[in-house]
């Protein structure tokens, strides 16, 4: 199938999905991915990853986690079509919010919003990984988000339209991304990025006891602009709800000369993400090749 056809199909699915009840659609998509996922080659990748990461778990436990991974992935697909009107956290009416925020995270968001300083905020492919950007903007953070464009231009346009409504400044990954992100930090913005995927030219880190490579961009930006680092994660809850959590400040690692240690800082970030995933392994995207 050509790129034009795939792009048209993507646009059609998103537009059709927007016409239906988001909860029922998420349930339907989850059933579909749970059914067809085990027949796809990514199932083997996920099983291999999980078996290596959790050697203490039985084959049955691994399969249960994998089923949850496919369930979550289907829900993410359905929820993406409704990104621009997901109800964010309202402290006055928390019962009407699909995204709840604990008090400490709420206080940290307020601190970041009011301190007049830039910050680096990392996230991972947990639960619905599009929502951290929504949560940040909903709490008044002036935010610039690094994102990866789809390869198909027509699909990119509609996806950007959905993301742009409540996600702050969107900066596509590319050669000029580091410059644009550094400029955003210099302007006092809060820069957010996903940091849990393999990067061929990345720095070596240990993740679930295995060597892999992480994108060093966050730590390199920190060398240019001194600022706080926080992690943000979304946890999927029953009843089509989510909980957003902002971590305490993650302290960067420095070398003997006091410079930011790129590898050490990315290891600190990676270790935070590993801790998140250990709590909710069925909500992380185990289907990509994180170790190579």
């Amino acid at each position: 199938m050509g790129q034009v056809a795939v792009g048209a199909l993507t646009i059609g699915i998103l537009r059709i999905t927007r016409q239906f009840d988001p909860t029922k659609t998420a349930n339907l998509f989850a059933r579909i991915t749970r059914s067809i996922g085990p027949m796809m080659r990514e199932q083997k990748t996920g099983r291999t990853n999980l078996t290596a990461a959790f050697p203490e778990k039985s084959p049955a436990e691994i399969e249960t986690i994998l089923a949850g991974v496919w369930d979550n992935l289907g829900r993410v697909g359905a929820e993406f079509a409704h990104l621009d009107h997901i109800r964010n956290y309202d402290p006055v009416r928390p019962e009407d919010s699909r995204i709840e925020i604990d008090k400490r995270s709420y206080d940290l968001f307020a601190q970041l919003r009011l301190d007049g300083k830039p910050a680096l905020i990392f996230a991972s492919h947990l639960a619905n990984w599009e929502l951290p950007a929504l949560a940040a903007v909903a709490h008044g953070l002036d935010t610039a988000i690094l994102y990866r464009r789809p390869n198909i231009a027509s699909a990119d346009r509609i996806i950007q339209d959905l993301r742009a409504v409540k996600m702050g400044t969107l900066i596509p990954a590319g050669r000029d991304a580091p410059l644009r992100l550094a400029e955003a930090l210099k302007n006092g913005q809060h820069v957010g990025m996903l940091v849990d995927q393999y990067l061929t030219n990345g720095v070596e880190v240990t993740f679930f006891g295995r060597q892999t490579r992480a994108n060093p961009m966050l730590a390199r930006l920190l060398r240019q602009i001194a600022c706080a680092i926080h992690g943000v994660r979304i946890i999927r809850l029953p009843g089509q709800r989510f909980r957003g959590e902002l971590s305490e400040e993650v302290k960067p690692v420095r070398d003997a000369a006091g410079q930011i240690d790129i590898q050490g800082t990315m290891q600190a970030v990676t270790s935070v993400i590993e801790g998140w995933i250990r709590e909710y392994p069925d909500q992380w995207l185990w289907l990509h090749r994180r170790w190579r």
Side-chain angles (χ1 to χ4, degrees), residues 4-292:
V4 174
V6 173
L9 180 62
T10 301
I11 292 170
I13 290 172
L14 284 171
R15 285 178 173 164
I16 291 170
T17 303
R18 286 173 64 82
Q19 305 306 310
F20 293 94
D21 176 83
T23 297
K24 292 180 180 178
T25 306
N27 290 336
L28 172 62
F29 278 35
R31 287 197 298 271
I32 292 172
T33 50
R34 284 177 75 109
S35 296
I36 67 174
M39 296 182 285
M40 302 179 71
R41 63 182 180 182
E42 285 81 5
Q43 176 81 352
K44 182 178 179 181
T45 299
R47 184 183 294 118
T48 300
N49 287 341
L50 279 162
T51 301
F54 297 103
E56 75 281 5
K57 293 190 181 297
S58 69
E61 289 175 310
I62 296 296
E63 295 306 311
T64 297
I65 294 172
L66 267 175
V69 172
W70 287 113
D71 183 284
N72 182 69
L73 188 58
R75 293 181 188 280
V76 171
E79 290 155 0
F80 189 86
H82 298 276
L83 270 183
D84 54 341
H85 53 258
I86 285 181
R87 297 185 298 279
N88 291 301
Y89 178 68
D90 181 351
V92 178
R93 297 178 59 84
E95 69 278 2
D96 291 337
S97 309
R98 283 192 68 188
I99 307 175
E100 65 178 49
I101 307 289
D102 65 87
K103 184 181 184 305
R104 179 55 182 161
S105 293
Y106 186 80
D107 290 343
L108 285 168
F109 271 119
Q111 178 182 312
L112 287 175
R113 183 179 73 248
L114 298 172
D115 66 10
K117 300 176 182 178
L120 284 160
I121 302 175
F122 64 88
S124 66
H125 289 81
L126 266 170
N128 188 322
W129 49 88
E130 299 283 347
L131 298 187
L134 293 182
V137 174
H139 285 79
L141 296 185
D142 185 5
T143 308
I145 303 297
L146 178 68
Y147 81 102
R148 185 175 299 281
R149 277 181 168 148
N151 293 329
I152 303 166
S154 55
D156 180 37
R157 285 192 293 273
I158 190 171
I159 288 170
Q160 277 205 68
D161 288 343
L162 287 171
R163 282 173 165 157
V165 176
K166 296 181 180 179
M167 285 194 174
T169 304
L170 295 173
I171 298 177
R175 289 184 178 180
D176 66 340
L179 293 175
R180 294 182 63 184
L181 293 171
E183 189 66 27
L185 289 170
K186 289 175 184 176
N187 292 334
Q189 288 185 285
H190 304 84
V191 166
M193 63 183 73
L194 290 159
V195 296
D196 60 338
Q197 289 189 307
Y198 183 91
L199 182 69
T200 302
N201 297 320
V203 295
E204 283 198 358
V205 293
T206 301
F207 188 53
F208 283 89
R210 303 164 70 193
Q211 293 297 306
T212 185
R213 291 186 177 272
N215 190 331
M217 187 184 300
L218 182 146
R220 286 177 177 167
L221 286 169
L222 195 60
R223 273 193 172 180
Q224 298 179 58
I225 298 95
C227 62
I229 309 171
H230 291 269
V232 62
R233 70 168 173 174
I234 296 291
I235 299 164
R236 189 177 294 280
L237 303 174
Q240 308 298 323
R241 290 170 59 81
F242 304 90
R243 181 167 66 250
E245 294 180 352
L246 188 65
S247 79
E248 301 293 335
E249 184 175 348
V250 177
K251 297 296 184 182
V253 177
R254 297 183 181 274
D255 60 24
Q259 273 266 49
I260 295 295
D261 183 315
I262 301 294
Q263 187 277 333
T265 297
M266 293 315 302
Q267 180 63 66
V269 167
T270 299
S271 295
V272 171
I273 293 172
E274 179 179 328
W276 291 347
I277 297 167
R278 286 187 179 278
E279 288 188 71
Y280 299 93
D282 58 333
Q283 296 190 24
W284 192 60
L285 193 63
W286 292 95
L287 308 176
H288 68 288
R289 294 176 61 209
R290 185 67 180 92
W291 297 270
R292 305 183 190 185

